[in-house]
Amino acid sequence: MRRLLASSIAFSVGVACATALALPLTLPAAAATASPATSRAGSVPAAARHDLPGSTRSLPLRPLGPRARDRAIGSPAAGELGLTRRDVRHFSMVGVVWDNPDTALHGRVQVRTRATGSRVRSGWQSLETHNDDAADPGTAERTSGRVSGSTAPLWVGDSDGVEVRVRAEGGIRTKASAPATRAAAPASALPSGLRLELVDPGGDGDGDGEGDGEAGAALQGMSADAPRTGTLGEESAETLAASAANAGLAPLGATEIPALGRAATEREVWSLGEGELTSSQRAKPYIGPRPRIITRRGWGADERLREKGFVYTKKVKVAFVHHTSSGNGYSCSQAASVIRGIYRYHVRSMGWRDIGYNFLVDKCGNIYEGRAGGVAKAVLGAHTLGFNGNSMGVAVLGSFGAHKPPAAALRAISRLTAWKLGLYGANPRGKAYLKSGGGNLYRKGKNVRLNVISGHRDGFATACPGTQLYRKLGTARSTAARYQGR
């Protein structure tokens, strides 16, 4: 069945792309006129209608303090690195990266920024230093040679001034090693190659991608991406392929996949051919109504950033819930920009093949397609190190260690998992086994029994998805099961 499914996927994508490349298509009427739903907090912009070049700029961190002149730039022996107050070209998201992805940063990373057009600087804001979303050890994505260590990105809104400080508070440790075997380095040690990433997600602005002053050399060859166009026939092959991967759910070039009722969703199970449901399960499936999903075109993904092609696993047995740790200071009308920033940060700054999450959810309950390859398919993500195979990652935009997640976001998680897990016969209130690919909780090769809806911390020693969101997963399981008719 899997061979048949793979063939049908390849055929449908190939035909759709060939057709799109052969004809000077404009957007299908359904896609051109579709407008994402409006929530109480604002509407989601139709990002595909705008030019969205964006840019990423990298500034190497320098030693701070009275003896800074005596320290080598970027030396791991320097106990405090950073950048003094400076003006820069506009950006909306920040993060700090370093050379070795297997080295964790033990310390505190803080930034403060200045809103564009203002003379007032923000207070110091902390970045989450343990960014444990990652591809599995030993995979092509993890061993590409382009992957960097990183903090979580922080959304700060449109800004043109920045200041950063990184202070060591412990030793270096290896993420993939067990806690008992982590070797501590001197307390003053910081990872090598620390640099600040300034991300302009694109939109109304048109960042040029050039470096500012001392960072210019580090950004040679990283020019801004060419503007998008509004005609589908003029898009890149990658854009067409990403859209065609959702064939059967929405027209080519659609900015959203509309919601379906229960009866229509059950009929669709037969036509999709996804998962490994038996004939009896297809005749009476436990599946939630398909929720509305904003496509990659809908949130403005520049498909030329990611690697070509898609990577699939066999099925979806577990859904891991995450938070992005990017802060809660965004409006729902800015959510598409936040996602474009995370996408660019994952690919350009961290070195992944695409955005790591399979789906994202904003505070108003809007659901977004994440990693390319088709929302109904078992797309391999980079979200839970050691457990990316046969799973999916759902990330809520925001930070939920101290803040409670919005009810709308929780409902969206339940609706999404009820549908997607239902395609593969999974019970949201059940358990499933996944084989560990290696991590800091479970050795490689160990079969681990997990909740079908799990938090990131269930597969990796991390604070994600935040204490407040993690506490609500029991409710999400019950609600998703109810949506499935269980």
Side-chain angles (χ1 to χ4, degrees):
M1 179 174 178
R2 286 195 293 270
R3 287 195 296 270
L4 178 62
L5 174 59
S7 298
S8 65
I9 292 170
F11 177 78
S12 63
V13 171
V15 170
C17 288
T19 303
L21 288 170
L23 299 173
L25 295 177
T26 56
L27 284 174
T33 59
S35 59
T38 300
S39 67
R40 287 178 297 175
S43 61
V44 177
R49 291 199 297 263
H50 300 282
D51 291 342
L52 299 165
S55 67
T56 302
R57 296 187 291 279
S58 186
L59 302 173
L61 302 189
R62 298 179 177 275
L64 300 176
R67 299 184 61 189
R69 294 180 181 177
D70 299 328
R71 300 172 183 163
I73 294 176
S75 168
E80 184 176 7
L81 299 176
L83 291 173
T84 55
R85 183 180 304 181
R86 66 187 58 206
D87 297 335
V88 293
R89 292 186 177 92
H90 71 88
F91 64 97
S92 297
M93 182 168 280
V94 298
V96 169
V97 300
W98 54 92
D99 293 339
N100 188 347
D102 292 321
T103 299
L105 190 159
H106 288 269
R108 192 174 187 184
V109 180
Q110 293 181 301
V111 298
R112 61 181 178 186
T113 57
R114 183 189 63 209
T116 299
S118 170
R119 295 183 178 181
V120 179
R121 293 184 177 264
S122 70
W124 287 102
Q125 300 182 79
S126 295
L127 276 62
E128 174 57 60
T129 57
H130 301 299
N131 189 21
D132 299 317
D133 305 324
D136 288 351
T139 60
E141 185 169 5
R142 181 75 175 180
T143 59
S144 65
R146 300 187 301 273
V147 183
S148 300
S150 67
T151 68
L154 178 68
W155 176 260
V156 295
D158 192 23
S159 305
D160 61 7
V162 68
E163 185 176 358
V164 61
R165 61 190 184 195
V166 181
R167 293 174 176 170
E169 293 180 356
I172 299 287
R173 69 182 179 188
T174 301
K175 285 185 178 180
S177 61
T181 62
R182 291 171 182 157
S188 61
L190 287 171
S192 61
L194 283 165
R195 51 202 182 272
L196 177 70
E197 301 288 289
L198 301 175
V199 179
D200 168 20
D204 294 335
D206 59 350
D208 59 14
E210 295 177 357
D212 287 294
E214 61 190 347
L219 289 171
Q220 288 181 3
M222 291 181 64
S223 59
D225 308 303
R228 295 166 55 90
T229 63
T231 304
L232 190 60
E234 299 173 3
E235 296 285 9
S236 66
E238 291 78 20
T239 298
L240 299 173
S243 184
N246 289 314
L249 303 180
L252 191 66
T255 58
E256 67 173 69
I257 297 169
L260 287 183
R262 177 179 294 277
T265 301
E266 291 178 355
R267 289 194 298 270
E268 186 180 63
V269 170
W270 279 99
S271 63
L272 282 176
E274 305 296 344
E276 296 187 348
L277 298 180
T278 64
S279 295
S280 61
Q281 287 174 321
R282 289 183 184 278
K284 186 174 176 55
Y286 288 105
I287 184 170
R290 187 182 76 192
R292 171 179 166 271
I293 301 171
I294 298 168
T295 65
R296 289 172 64 90
R297 184 174 181 84
W299 55 260
D302 187 336
E303 301 296 350
R304 290 163 298 183
L305 291 179
R306 64 172 175 84
E307 290 185 10
K308 296 180 180 179
F310 314 123
V311 182
Y312 299 100
T313 59
K314 295 179 180 179
K315 60 182 73 173
V316 178
K317 298 168 65 177
V318 172
F320 286 102
V321 177
H322 303 251
H323 67 168
T324 59
S325 296
S326 52
N328 303 315
Y330 70 94
S331 65
C332 291
S333 63
Q334 293 175 314
S337 294
V338 176
I339 295 171
R340 291 197 302 275
I342 294 172
Y343 171 43
R344 179 173 282 276
Y345 188 72
H346 281 184
V347 176
R348 284 292 176 90
S349 301
M350 298 175 62
W352 295 356
R353 72 186 315 272
D354 194 351
I355 192 170
Y357 310 113
N358 298 104
F359 297 92
L360 300 100
V361 174
D362 69 25
K363 63 174 69 174
C364 291
N366 296 298
I367 301 170
Y368 303 81
E369 178 184 14
R371 180 161 289 205
V375 297
K377 298 177 175 63
V379 178
L380 177 67
H383 49 83
T384 305
L385 190 148
F387 292 100
N388 289 298
N390 296 329
S391 72
M392 71 178 194
V394 182
V396 182
L397 299 180
S399 303
F400 301 106
H403 294 84
K404 292 183 179 180
L410 292 172
R411 284 194 298 271
I413 293 171
S414 299
R415 287 178 58 82
L416 173 61
T417 53
W419 172 71
K420 183 62 179 281
L421 292 171
L423 289 176
Y424 294 83
N427 182 349
R429 276 198 294 243
K431 305 280 187 178
Y433 281 93
L434 289 181
K435 182 177 289 187
S436 172
N440 63 3
L441 275 183
Y442 302 103
R443 60 174 173 78
K444 184 176 181 179
K446 180 177 177 60
N447 282 320
V448 181
R449 190 168 182 257
L450 296 160
N451 287 310
V452 167
I453 298 180
S454 286
H456 184 184
R457 64 177 67 181
D458 295 324
F460 195 91
T462 175
C464 185
T467 301
Q468 297 298 326
L469 178 52
Y470 188 75
R471 287 174 177 171
K472 295 293 185 179
L473 293 188
T475 301
R477 296 180 191 110
S478 299
T479 304
R482 186 171 68 251
Y483 283 142
Q484 285 190 348
R486 295 183 186 270

